[in-house]
PDB file of all heavy atoms in Angstrom:
ATOM      1  N   PRO A  57     -62.445 -32.236  68.519  1.00 93.00           N
ATOM      2  CA  PRO A  57     -63.658 -32.765  67.897  1.00 93.00           C
ATOM      3  C   PRO A  57     -63.353 -33.402  66.550  1.00 93.00           C
ATOM      4  O   PRO A  57     -62.286 -33.179  65.974  1.00 93.00           O
ATOM      5  CB  PRO A  57     -64.522 -31.521  67.725  1.00 93.00           C
ATOM      6  CG  PRO A  57     -63.519 -30.422  67.487  1.00 93.00           C
ATOM      7  CD  PRO A  57     -62.353 -30.760  68.381  1.00 93.00           C
ATOM      8  N   TRP A  58     -64.297 -34.213  66.040  1.00 95.00           N
ATOM      9  CA  TRP A  58     -64.135 -34.855  64.742  1.00 95.00           C
ATOM     10  C   TRP A  58     -65.263 -34.438  63.815  1.00 95.00           C
ATOM     11  O   TRP A  58     -66.421 -34.383  64.211  1.00 95.00           O
ATOM     12  CB  TRP A  58     -64.157 -36.377  64.894  1.00 95.00           C
ATOM     13  CG  TRP A  58     -63.045 -36.910  65.726  1.00 95.00           C
ATOM     14  CD1 TRP A  58     -61.729 -37.068  65.373  1.00 95.00           C
ATOM     15  CD2 TRP A  58     -63.126 -37.371  67.084  1.00 95.00           C
ATOM     16  NE1 TRP A  58     -61.013 -37.600  66.411  1.00 95.00           N
ATOM     17  CE2 TRP A  58     -61.830 -37.800  67.473  1.00 95.00           C
ATOM     18  CE3 TRP A  58     -64.175 -37.477  68.016  1.00 95.00           C
ATOM     19  CZ2 TRP A  58     -61.564 -38.304  68.739  1.00 95.00           C
ATOM     20  CZ3 TRP A  58     -63.905 -37.977  69.275  1.00 95.00           C
ATOM     21  CH2 TRP A  58     -62.611 -38.390  69.630  1.00 95.00           C
ATOM     22  N   LEU A  59     -64.909 -34.173  62.563  1.00 95.00           N
ATOM     23  CA  LEU A  59     -65.893 -33.860  61.530  1.00 95.00           C
ATOM     24  C   LEU A  59     -66.017 -35.073  60.617  1.00 95.00           C
ATOM     25  O   LEU A  59     -65.051 -35.464  59.969  1.00 95.00           O
ATOM     26  CB  LEU A  59     -65.452 -32.635  60.726  1.00 95.00           C
ATOM     27  CG  LEU A  59     -66.344 -32.260  59.552  1.00 95.00           C
ATOM     28  CD1 LEU A  59     -67.699 -31.765  60.031  1.00 95.00           C
ATOM     29  CD2 LEU A  59     -65.677 -31.206  58.679  1.00 95.00           C
ATOM     30  N   ALA A  60     -67.185 -35.685  60.582  1.00 95.00           N
ATOM     31  CA  ALA A  60     -67.447 -36.846  59.729  1.00 95.00           C
ATOM     32  C   ALA A  60     -68.131 -36.351  58.466  1.00 95.00           C
ATOM     33  O   ALA A  60     -69.336 -36.093  58.459  1.00 95.00           O
ATOM     34  CB  ALA A  60     -68.312 -37.860  60.469  1.00 95.00           C
ATOM     35  N   PHE A  61     -67.385 -36.222  57.389  1.00 91.00           N
ATOM     36  CA  PHE A  61     -67.896 -35.520  56.216  1.00 91.00           C
ATOM     37  C   PHE A  61     -68.925 -36.342  55.447  1.00 91.00           C
ATOM     38  O   PHE A  61     -69.944 -35.815  55.009  1.00 91.00           O
ATOM     39  CB  PHE A  61     -66.750 -35.125  55.282  1.00 91.00           C
ATOM     40  CG  PHE A  61     -67.221 -34.389  54.061  1.00 91.00           C
ATOM     41  CD1 PHE A  61     -67.751 -33.113  54.171  1.00 91.00           C
ATOM     42  CD2 PHE A  61     -67.166 -34.969  52.811  1.00 91.00           C
ATOM     43  CE1 PHE A  61     -68.208 -32.423  53.054  1.00 91.00           C
ATOM     44  CE2 PHE A  61     -67.616 -34.297  51.684  1.00 91.00           C
ATOM     45  CZ  PHE A  61     -68.138 -33.019  51.811  1.00 91.00           C
ATOM     46  N   ALA A  62     -68.683 -37.638  55.237  1.00 91.00           N
ATOM     47  CA  ALA A  62     -69.540 -38.410  54.342  1.00 91.00           C
ATOM     48  C   ALA A  62     -70.330 -39.513  55.030  1.00 91.00           C
ATOM     49  O   ALA A  62     -71.289 -40.025  54.457  1.00 91.00           O
ATOM     50  CB  ALA A  62     -68.696 -39.020  53.212  1.00 91.00           C
ATOM     51  N   GLY A  63     -69.941 -39.908  56.246  1.00 95.00           N
ATOM     52  CA  GLY A  63     -70.495 -41.110  56.860  1.00 95.00           C
ATOM     53  C   GLY A  63     -72.002 -41.114  57.008  1.00 95.00           C
ATOM     54  O   GLY A  63     -72.670 -42.091  56.628  1.00 95.00           O
ATOM     55  N   LEU A  64     -72.587 -40.068  57.552  1.00 96.00           N
ATOM     56  CA  LEU A  64     -74.027 -40.058  57.769  1.00 96.00           C
ATOM     57  C   LEU A  64     -74.781 -39.847  56.455  1.00 96.00           C
ATOM     58  O   LEU A  64     -75.831 -40.465  56.221  1.00 96.00           O
ATOM     59  CB  LEU A  64     -74.408 -38.979  58.782  1.00 96.00           C
ATOM     60  CG  LEU A  64     -75.882 -38.931  59.178  1.00 96.00           C
ATOM     61  CD1 LEU A  64     -76.360 -40.270  59.734  1.00 96.00           C
ATOM     62  CD2 LEU A  64     -76.139 -37.816  60.188  1.00 96.00           C
ATOM     63  N   LYS A  65     -74.259 -39.013  55.578  1.00 94.00           N
ATOM     64  CA  LYS A  65     -74.921 -38.781  54.292  1.00 94.00           C
ATOM     65  C   LYS A  65     -75.016 -40.085  53.492  1.00 94.00           C
ATOM     66  O   LYS A  65     -76.055 -40.391  52.901  1.00 94.00           O
ATOM     67  CB  LYS A  65     -74.170 -37.703  53.499  1.00 94.00           C
ATOM     68  CG  LYS A  65     -74.346 -36.299  54.070  1.00 94.00           C
ATOM     69  CD  LYS A  65     -73.643 -35.246  53.240  1.00 94.00           C
ATOM     70  CE  LYS A  65     -72.150 -35.242  53.470  1.00 94.00           C
ATOM     71  NZ  LYS A  65     -71.487 -34.032  52.932  1.00 94.00           N
ATOM     72  N   ARG A  66     -73.935 -40.845  53.475  1.00 94.00           N
ATOM     73  CA  ARG A  66     -73.942 -42.107  52.724  1.00 94.00           C
ATOM     74  C   ARG A  66     -74.889 -43.120  53.363  1.00 94.00           C
ATOM     75  O   ARG A  66     -75.570 -43.869  52.653  1.00 94.00           O
ATOM     76  CB  ARG A  66     -72.520 -42.670  52.653  1.00 94.00           C
ATOM     77  CG  ARG A  66     -71.611 -41.881  51.732  1.00 94.00           C
ATOM     78  CD  ARG A  66     -70.190 -42.371  51.775  1.00 94.00           C
ATOM     79  NE  ARG A  66     -69.340 -41.628  50.850  1.00 94.00           N
ATOM     80  CZ  ARG A  66     -68.016 -41.635  50.888  1.00 94.00           C
ATOM     81  NH1 ARG A  66     -67.378 -42.363  51.793  1.00 94.00           N
ATOM     82  NH2 ARG A  66     -67.319 -40.935  50.017  1.00 94.00           N
ATOM     83  N   THR A  67     -74.938 -43.145  54.686  1.00 96.00           N
ATOM     84  CA  THR A  67     -75.824 -44.089  55.365  1.00 96.00           C
ATOM     85  C   THR A  67     -77.282 -43.729  55.134  1.00 96.00           C
ATOM     86  O   THR A  67     -78.128 -44.605  54.907  1.00 96.00           O
ATOM     87  CB  THR A  67     -75.508 -44.129  56.868  1.00 96.00           C
ATOM     88  OG1 THR A  67     -74.118 -44.427  57.037  1.00 96.00           O
ATOM     89  CG2 THR A  67     -76.316 -45.205  57.568  1.00 96.00           C
ATOM     90  N   LEU A  68     -77.601 -42.450  55.174  1.00 95.00           N
ATOM     91  CA  LEU A  68     -78.973 -42.020  54.884  1.00 95.00           C
ATOM     92  C   LEU A  68     -79.380 -42.409  53.466  1.00 95.00           C
ATOM     93  O   LEU A  68     -80.505 -42.863  53.235  1.00 95.00           O
ATOM     94  CB  LEU A  68     -79.105 -40.509  55.078  1.00 95.00           C
ATOM     95  CG  LEU A  68     -79.227 -40.010  56.510  1.00 95.00           C
ATOM     96  CD1 LEU A  68     -79.026 -38.493  56.568  1.00 95.00           C
ATOM     97  CD2 LEU A  68     -80.572 -40.391  57.119  1.00 95.00           C
TER      98      LEU A  68
END
Side-chain angles (χ1 to χ4, degrees):
W58 298 284
L59 176 68
F61 180 68
L64 184 57
K65 288 182 283 194
R66 288 175 178 164
T67 305
L68 282 167

